[in-house]
Structure formats: structure tokens, C-alpha cells
């Protein structure tokens, strides 16, 4: 999803100071709002693979999602994935970490070894596991973006400049705009997007 295509997206204000101030004011005032609805819409969208449509509903403010619900959903899926990966380790050489690019509804195993090719064939055939990875990857991105927006609200309250907040959000939003990666090994699995927002926060703290 291009950040300039969503008219009601937070990033519609980039390059427009008036929109920037209004959007960030709204972000700061609503970031900690108690949210009690929207999880059903999230589950439906994820279960049907309607990732972008669900994300647009969240971004446009048409549904409210408590970030804790999304985090819990992600953790539940991640636990299931780790059990799946433990089983895969019995059939494939996962002693060395293997990367799988999650892109456009497809999983692409990196590398051209026989083991990588065999794993690719397995993921292509196992549509249930394929869907679980796709869903969990998107949940991870949702969590990271939610954390970034909450952090932006704190930055604003602490007096950070509008330009610096926009730059932070642009970096954080990249986790939604680019292909994700799923890394699996015999000790478990994770996603490239996981912890991305915290890495940006740490970098800003080091530079302060």
C-alpha cells in the first residue's frame, strides 16, 4: 500500500503542515483511548486474507482495535508457528536459520539448496501453514505500526518537533510497505518486522 494513496491515512499529511499538525494533535489525544470494539472485524479480515482491506479500515478510523488484543492474537499465532516449526525441524535441516520472504500472498524460501527447494515445495502444498504464516506476518506488522503511533503521541507530548515525528513515522511505516520475512530455525521462528519499532526508538534515544 503506497502511503500517498490512503486519503485518510496518517501519512496523507506529509508535506502539508496544516494536515500534519491536525493529524498529530488527533493522534496524541486518541492514542490511549479505551477501545472495546473491532476485534471481530480484525479476525474476519485476517481469516479471509483481506489484510490490506482490514488495515485500511483501521487506518481510516472505521474500526477501533486495542493494540493489546492484536498483540495477544499475534502471540497466540506465534506459539502455533513455533510448534509447527518444531515439527518441520524433524523433516528439514533447520539447524541453520532459513529465511522465507512473505510477499503478495506468496512465501518464497531463500536459497537454492536441495533443502530450501524441498521446504518451498512443502510450504506450497501446505495451504494451512502458508495461511498461518501470512496471517501472523500481518499481525506482527499491525503491532509494530500501532506501537509506532503510540510512541509518536508520546514524542509529541514531550515536545519533539513535528519534522522529527514525521521522519520517525515514515521509517516505522516502512514495515507495512515492504515485504516481510519469516525466519525459522530449530529453536523457533520470528519475523523481520518484529521489534522494528523498538529499534527505531532505541536509535533515537542513542542520538539524543
Amino acid at each position: 500500500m503506497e502511503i500517498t494513496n490512503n486519503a485518510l491515512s496518517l501519512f496523507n499529511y506529509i508535506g502539508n503542515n496544516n494536515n500534519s499538525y491536525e493529524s498529530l494533535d488527533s493522534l496524541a489525544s486518541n492514542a490511549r483511548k479505551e477501545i472495546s470494539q473491532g476485534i471481530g472485524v480484525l479476525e474476519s479480515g485476517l481469516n479471509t486474507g483481506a489484510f490490506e482491506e482490514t488495515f485500511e479500515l483501521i487506518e481510516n478510523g472505521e474500526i477501533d482495535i486495542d493494540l493489546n488484543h492484536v498483540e495477544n492474537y499475534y502471540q497466540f499465532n506465534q506459539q502455533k508457528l513455533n510448534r509447527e516449526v518444531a515439527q518441520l525441524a524433524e523433516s528439514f535441516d533447520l539447524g541453520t536459520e532459513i529465511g522465507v520472504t512473505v510477499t503478495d500472498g506468496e512465501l518464497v524460501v531463500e536459497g537454492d539448496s536441495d533443502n530450501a527447494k524441498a521446504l518451498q515445495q512443502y510450504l506450497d502444498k501446505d495451504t494451512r501453514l502458508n495461511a498461518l504464516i501470512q496471517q501472523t506476518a500481518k499481525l506482527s506488522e499491525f503491532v509494530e505500526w500501532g506501537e509506532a503511533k503510540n510512541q509518536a503521541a508520546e514524542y509529541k507530548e514531550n515536545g519533539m518537533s513535528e519534522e522529527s515525528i514525521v521522519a520517525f513515522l515514515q521509517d516505522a511505516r516502512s514495515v507495512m510497505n515492504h515485504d516481510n520475512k519469516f525466519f525459522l530455525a530449530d529453536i523457533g521462528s520470528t519475523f523481520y518486522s518484529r521489534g522494528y519499532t523498538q529499534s527505531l526508538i532505541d536509535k533515537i534515544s542513542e542520538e539524543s
Side-chain angles (χ1 to χ4, degrees):
M1 183 192 307
E2 295 296 329
I3 60 178
T4 56
N5 286 347
N6 187 350
L8 297 180
S9 168
L10 184 61
F11 278 83
N12 186 50
Y13 65 70
I14 292 179
N16 183 319
N17 288 336
N18 290 331
N19 284 348
S20 173
Y21 301 147
E22 292 174 3
S23 296
L24 288 171
D25 282 340
S26 175
L27 174 62
S29 63
N30 293 328
R32 297 177 179 81
K33 181 177 62 176
E34 290 295 329
I35 299 171
S36 61
Q37 298 179 346
I39 193 66
V41 177
L42 174 66
E43 290 179 348
S44 176
L46 291 171
N47 289 334
T48 60
F51 304 130
E52 294 303 322
E53 294 85 346
T54 303
F55 179 65
E56 287 182 6
L57 289 175
I58 296 173
E59 286 293 271
N60 293 350
E62 295 180 42
I63 58 173
D64 287 330
I65 298 293
D66 186 335
L67 184 59
N68 289 326
H69 284 317
V70 184
E71 172 69 23
N72 290 339
Y73 201 162
Y74 164 79
Q75 291 292 348
F76 178 73
N77 273 24
Q78 186 64 59
Q79 290 173 10
K80 290 196 293 184
L81 270 180
N82 286 337
R83 290 194 293 269
E84 295 276 358
V85 170
Q87 294 178 2
L88 288 177
E90 299 177 1
S91 302
F92 302 93
D93 179 14
L94 299 183
T96 301
E97 185 178 81
I98 296 178
V100 179
T101 300
V102 184
T103 175
D104 296 330
E106 296 182 359
L107 302 179
V108 180
V109 178
E110 298 178 344
D112 56 3
S113 66
D114 291 341
N115 188 57
K117 293 176 181 177
L119 180 59
Q120 180 71 66
Q121 292 179 343
Y122 182 88
L123 292 177
D124 289 342
K125 293 180 179 178
D126 192 338
T127 56
R128 179 193 54 79
L129 177 57
N130 193 305
L132 178 61
I133 294 173
Q134 295 279 353
Q135 184 186 87
T136 312
K138 191 54 64 176
L139 280 167
S140 176
E141 294 169 14
F142 283 172
V143 170
E144 294 301 316
W145 180 233
E147 291 179 350
K149 291 196 292 184
N150 286 347
Q151 185 64 40
E154 290 189 21
Y155 283 150
K156 180 170 177 58
E157 290 178 356
N158 293 333
M160 179 182 280
S161 69
E162 305 287 347
E163 292 79 7
S164 296
I165 295 175
V166 169
F168 165 74
L169 287 170
Q170 283 179 313
D171 285 344
R173 181 58 178 260
S174 67
V175 81
M176 302 294 300
N177 295 337
H178 298 110
D179 296 339
N180 206 340
K181 283 191 177 181
F182 178 56
F183 298 100
L184 60 162
D186 54 5
I187 59 174
S189 63
T190 189
F191 290 89
Y192 167 77
S193 54
R194 189 62 175 168
Y196 186 77
T197 297
Q198 187 60 51
S199 70
L200 297 178
I201 295 171
D202 292 343
K203 180 179 179 181
I204 290 174
S205 296
E206 292 172 0
E207 295 174 348
S208 300

